[in-house]
Amino acid sequence: MTAEAAVDTAHPSPAYESVRESVFDCVGNTPVVALRRLFPEPGVEVLAKLELMNPGGSMKDRSARHIIETGLAEGSIPPGSTVVESSSGNFGIALAMAARIRGLRFICVVDPKTTSANLALLHQLGATVEIVSEPDEAGGYLHTRIRRVKELLAEVPGAIWINQYANDRNWQAFYHGTGAELVEQLVRPPSYLFAPVSTTGSILGCSRRLREHFPDLRVIAVDAVGSVIFGSAPARREIPGIGSSRVPELFRPDEIDDVVHVDDVEAAEACRDLLAAEGIFAGGSSGAVVAAIRRALPRLTSPSRVLAIFPDRGDRYLDLVYDDDWLERMRADRARATAAAG
C-alpha cells in the first residue's frame, strides 16, 4: 500500500448518508417492470408501475402523505388535531401511518367487507376504527360510511374530514408523484394507460402529467362490475379498493377514453396468473388491470406500448382473491347470476 493510499484509508473523503427521517419519506420512486412472461404476444409491450412497493403497501401512501403534509404546512390541519375518513382499507392504512408519524388522531370508518388484515393494521397503527353495518341504498356501504363520517364531524370538536373523493390534493399527489416519476422513467411514449378507478384521483393525476409529455396517450379506466362511476347499475362487489357506489366529485369523464368493467372472478384469476408468471404478489385491483388488458388486447393498435398501474400488494387479500374457497363461491355466484339472466 502506498503512503497516499494509507492516508486516504485513515481519512476518507466526506460522504453523505442516505438516511430518511421517517418511513413516509420513503414513499415513491417505485419501479416499472416489463410483463413479458404474462404478455408474450408480438406487437405489444406491457409495463407495470409497481405502486405496491410503497412502504405502506399501496399507492394510497402518496395521497395520504401529500394531503397530510400539505395540510399541516398551510395550517388547514392543525397539529394534534383529529382527522376522519371513510376507507375500505389502503387509504385508511396510509392515513393511520401519517397520523402516527405526525402526532394526529385518526378515526377510520370502515364496513364489514374490510379485510381482517386491514383491520388489524389499522388497530396496530393506533387508529380508532368505526364499523358501519347497514348497507346503503346502492347495496354497498359507502353512503353509510359517509353518513357516519358526518356524524363524527358533529360529535368530535375540531374534527377534519379528509374526503378523498372530493379533495383536489388527491389527484395532485399523483400528478406530482406517480405521473412525474413515469415521465422520467419512460423515454419511448406509452400508447395506453390502464389504471383502476375508485376516487379517480390516481388515474386523473397520472394521466394529466403523462399527457403533458405524451399527448397521444389513450387513458383506459378499469372499473369493477357493480360500480356506478360510469353510470352502470349498482351491484354486489366483494373486492375492496376498486369501484365505487357513488360518483366521485373529482371524476372528469371527458379525460377518460374508455372503460373496462371487470368482475371479482376475473380479477382474482388474473392476480393468480400474475403471481405465477411474473412472481408479482398483487392485490385485487391490480388483477383487474391485468384482466382488462387481456380483454382489450385484440382491439389495441399494433405495435402498442401499454402502461399499467398496480396499486397494492396481495398480502391483504389472502382471505379473498388468494383463497380457493372464496374464489369457488364467487364462481358459483357468477354462474347462478348468468343462468338467471339467461
Side-chain angles (χ1 to χ4, degrees), residues 260-278:
V260 180
H261 287 89
V262 175
D263 67 22
D264 290 336
V265 172
E266 290 177 285
E269 291 173 343
C271 280
R272 293 162 176 243
D273 292 343
L274 176 65
L275 182 59
E278 301 285 354

Side-chain angles (χ1 to χ4, degrees), residues 48-66:
K49 176 73 164 165
L50 300 186
E51 290 291 271
L52 52 83
M53 293 184 70
N54 279 299
S58 84
M59 69 192 313
K60 296 291 189 176
D61 288 2
R62 295 186 188 266
S63 46
R65 182 180 70 170
H66 186 71

Side-chain angles (χ1 to χ4, degrees), residues 80-94:
S81 59
T82 298
V83 294
V84 183
E85 182 60 306
S86 158
S87 172
S88 60
N90 287 325
F91 190 56
I93 289 165

Side-chain angles (χ1 to χ4, degrees), residues 180-252:
E181 289 173 17
L182 285 166
V183 168
E184 295 297 321
Q185 290 169 314
L186 302 178
V187 176
R188 291 189 294 111
S191 314
Y192 301 91
L193 171 68
F194 280 75
V197 291
S198 180
T199 68
T200 70
S202 57
I203 193 172
L204 293 176
C206 290
S207 62
R208 286 167 182 168
R209 189 59 174 260
L210 285 164
R211 277 174 161 160
E212 291 176 0
H213 297 265
F214 310 119
D216 294 330
L217 179 73
R218 289 186 60 79
V219 177
I220 314 299
V222 181
D223 200 5
V225 170
S227 167
V228 306
I229 297 174
F230 289 88
S232 299
R236 175 186 171 192
R237 296 176 287 116
E238 292 295 324
I239 296 178
I242 182 172
S244 177
S245 53
R246 74 180 181 98
V247 179
E249 290 86 346
L250 293 177
F251 183 44
R252 298 293 181 269

Side-chain angles (χ1 to χ4, degrees), residues 158-177:
I160 299 161
W161 183 17
I162 298 299
N163 196 5
Q164 61 173 328
Y165 283 79
N167 195 326
D168 280 326
R169 288 177 182 155
N170 181 353
W171 72 262
Q172 290 165 6
F174 298 99
Y175 177 89
H176 295 294

Side-chain angles (χ1 to χ4, degrees), residues 24 36 47-48 96 102 109 120 194 199 211 232 245 265 295 304 342:
F24 247 45
R36 306 193 199 284
L47 309 175
R102 296 306 182 202
V109 181
F194 280 75
T199 68
R211 277 174 161 160
S232 299
S245 53
V265 172
R295 201 188 307 164
S304 288

